[in-house]
Amino acid sequence: MPQPARTSQPLPPVSVLGLGMMGTALATALLKAGHPLTVWNRSPSKTGPLVAQGARPADTPADAVAASPLVIVCFTTNDNVGETLATVDFTGKTLVNLTNGTPAQARTLATWAKQQGAAYIDGGIMAVPQMIATPAAYVLYSGDEQAYETHRPTLAALGGTKWAGTDPGRAALHDLALLTGMYGMLMGVAQAFALIRTENIPATEFAGPLHNWLTAMLSGVVPGVAEAVDSGQHLTDVSSLAINQAAFPNFMDTFRDQGISSDLFVPMQKLLDRAVEEGHGADGLSRLVELLKLTK
């Protein structure tokens, strides 16, 4: 007896509000995955390319929210989120906020969303727009865990999904901590290129050795520092704070002699001086994590 043909279940509809470079990348990924998509942007012209691919444009934020059970927001700041959505009915919706913000902002928005009858998920995108929907991209999520599990298959169209916890602020905390490491690394890279170019050495020629050195240091240093921070044991047999403090004037003198600014490195010099002055000269660089705490 012939079996009836199997019909696949239609994918759930999604609304995306905010079509900057990242929002457009998110919306495109959802379209390519087969989700019925409604889009809204403050400047309507940005909806055109997505509409050409099959998205439905919404005239207002309220129309966009009404169109789908899952609403993804990606604005420039969280102030835009509050201003744009203040009067929108979110009853029964899940709001996924992928706008870069602070843990405190995420918690405030979660409280507001709950008052509006919505489930709230905050997210931190660990990718640039070109990486969205590739294996290299992932998004951190925190907040309403039940809503997250319900919509996780849809969110997977954007990249890997990583749960950070039920505290709505945890995704933003992880996001900003990861970006902090990135910006610190980029400041060092910028300083290194500025220094090497004072002798007319092409940055492209120096990029290979710099990349290899940073890769070796990151793979060897980061796990060890993490273990020392968690254990509180900062003594080292590699390079003490006293040794680093003694060597640091060489950097500052060279920057001056080569005609480049030392502004990026002055805070490190001050922190090393303080560490030694407070009696931590025998400790490793992991001790600096403790010294970064603000005292009341």
Side-chain angles (χ1 to χ4, degrees):
M1 182 175 178
Q3 297 294 318
R6 294 183 179 179
T7 57
S8 58
Q9 293 293 323
L11 294 176
V14 186
S15 293
V16 174
L17 288 76
L19 299 176
M21 288 185 287
M22 182 58 79
T24 296
L26 300 174
T28 300
L30 290 162
L31 273 175
K32 289 182 176 178
H35 290 275
L37 186 71
T38 299
V39 293
W40 177 87
N41 192 73
R42 192 180 301 274
S43 302
S45 60
K46 289 190 175 182
T47 65
L50 292 162
V51 171
Q53 298 175 60
R56 185 180 76 84
D59 292 330
T60 67
D63 290 340
V65 171
S68 310
L70 177 63
V71 179
I72 296 176
V73 175
C74 188
F75 291 160
T76 302
T77 70
N78 273 324
D79 290 337
N80 299 137
V81 176
E83 294 168 1
T84 303
L85 304 181
T87 60
V88 176
D89 182 8
F90 268 93
T91 305
K93 307 291 183 177
T94 293
L95 172 60
V96 177
N97 181 22
L98 299 185
T99 304
N100 182 267
T102 70
Q105 288 172 331
R107 291 167 186 139
T108 298
L109 283 168
T111 299
W112 171 83
K114 185 176 181 180
Q115 292 169 348
Q116 308 306 310
Y120 182 83
I121 302 170
D122 204 76
I125 303 172
M126 306 315 300
V128 296
Q130 293 78 5
M131 293 167 59
I132 293 299
T134 72
Y138 69 91
V139 183
L140 295 154
Y141 297 100
S142 61
D144 190 311
E145 189 168 10
Q146 182 176 350
Y148 166 73
E149 291 297 341
T150 297
H151 295 289
R152 188 174 182 180
T154 300
L155 297 173
L158 310 178
T161 58
K162 296 193 177 184
W163 182 243
T166 56
D167 178 344
R170 283 298 180 92
L173 181 67
H174 282 75
D175 177 30
L176 293 174
L178 289 167
L179 291 174
T180 296
M182 180 197 75
Y183 279 116
M185 179 186 69
L186 287 177
M187 286 191 292
V189 169
Q191 190 81 9
F193 280 141
L195 180 60
I196 206 72
R197 290 179 73 244
T198 62
E199 299 288 348
N200 297 318
I201 298 171
T204 51
E205 180 181 314
F206 186 65
L210 180 61
H211 176 270
N212 293 340
W213 172 248
L214 291 177
T215 300
M217 287 298 96
L218 287 172
S219 62
V221 171
V222 173
V225 171
E227 185 175 343
V229 168
D230 284 347
S231 68
Q233 303 299 315
H234 298 287
L235 289 176
T236 181
D237 59 0
V238 177
S239 180
S240 70
L241 289 170
I243 290 173
N244 280 275
Q245 184 207 28
F248 222 74
N250 292 334
F251 293 93
M252 311 304 276
D253 292 345
T254 300
F255 297 153
R256 183 193 63 240
D257 294 344
Q258 297 297 116
I260 64 171
S261 170
S262 61
D263 288 353
L264 294 177
F265 272 57
V266 169
M268 184 69 170
Q269 176 75 77
K270 292 180 178 179
L271 200 58
L272 288 170
D273 291 343
R274 178 186 157 203
V276 174
E277 289 170 4
E278 293 183 5
H280 304 300
D283 288 348
L285 291 168
S286 60
R287 170 63 70 177
L288 299 181
V289 176
E290 303 294 337
L291 298 183
L292 289 172
K293 294 178 182 177
L294 294 176
T295 56
K296 296 181 179 179

